[in-house]
Amino acid sequence: MSRIKNSFPPREELERLIDAHGHLTIRATPNAGANDIRLPADGAPAVLNVRTTVTPEDGKANDAILALLAKALGRPRSALTLVRGATARDKVVLVTR
């Protein structure tokens, strides 16, 4: 079995998407083929696309998404809190500094 590779954009690009209140808006895609974080296209709303291979069952996908974001941002997992969207694809994450 091959290892699942993670693909992350530069940390500085991700941090630009965090608003003044520390909120980061994401669009989640569970059951993806690979773990991946994609920046929004130029001119598009500032919504980060996060893909994870984990199934959305019992909050496992949310935990995987927060772990991916923490790794990409270079912060501990405890610095991220899901504020809105626990059962939705559109989510808001609070990033403490």
Side-chain angles (χ1 to χ4, degrees):
M1 179 180 252
S2 64
R3 291 180 86 184
I4 296 173
K5 295 182 180 177
N6 298 328
S7 174
F8 304 134
R11 183 179 306 167
E12 298 79 26
E13 296 288 328
L14 293 174
E15 289 177 349
R16 285 188 201 139
L17 296 174
I18 300 171
D19 70 12
H21 302 289
H23 293 133
L24 177 63
T25 304
I26 65 168
R27 172 100 180 172
T29 304
N31 288 329
N35 293 325
D36 185 30
I37 297 177
R38 297 180 184 174
L39 295 171
D42 290 336
V47 177
L48 192 65
N49 291 325
V50 181
R51 299 163 35 95
T52 181
T53 58
V54 179
T55 306
E57 124 188 326
D58 297 328
K60 292 177 186 174
N62 287 336
D63 291 340
I65 286 168
L66 292 176
L68 283 172
L69 284 172
K71 187 172 184 179
L73 289 167
R75 298 180 192 224
R77 165 62 183 83
S78 59
L80 283 84
T81 305
L82 185 62
V83 176
R84 185 171 55 228
T87 59
R89 290 187 63 197
D90 295 322
K91 304 177 185 299
V92 176
V93 176
L94 176 64
V95 181
T96 56
R97 300 194 190 262

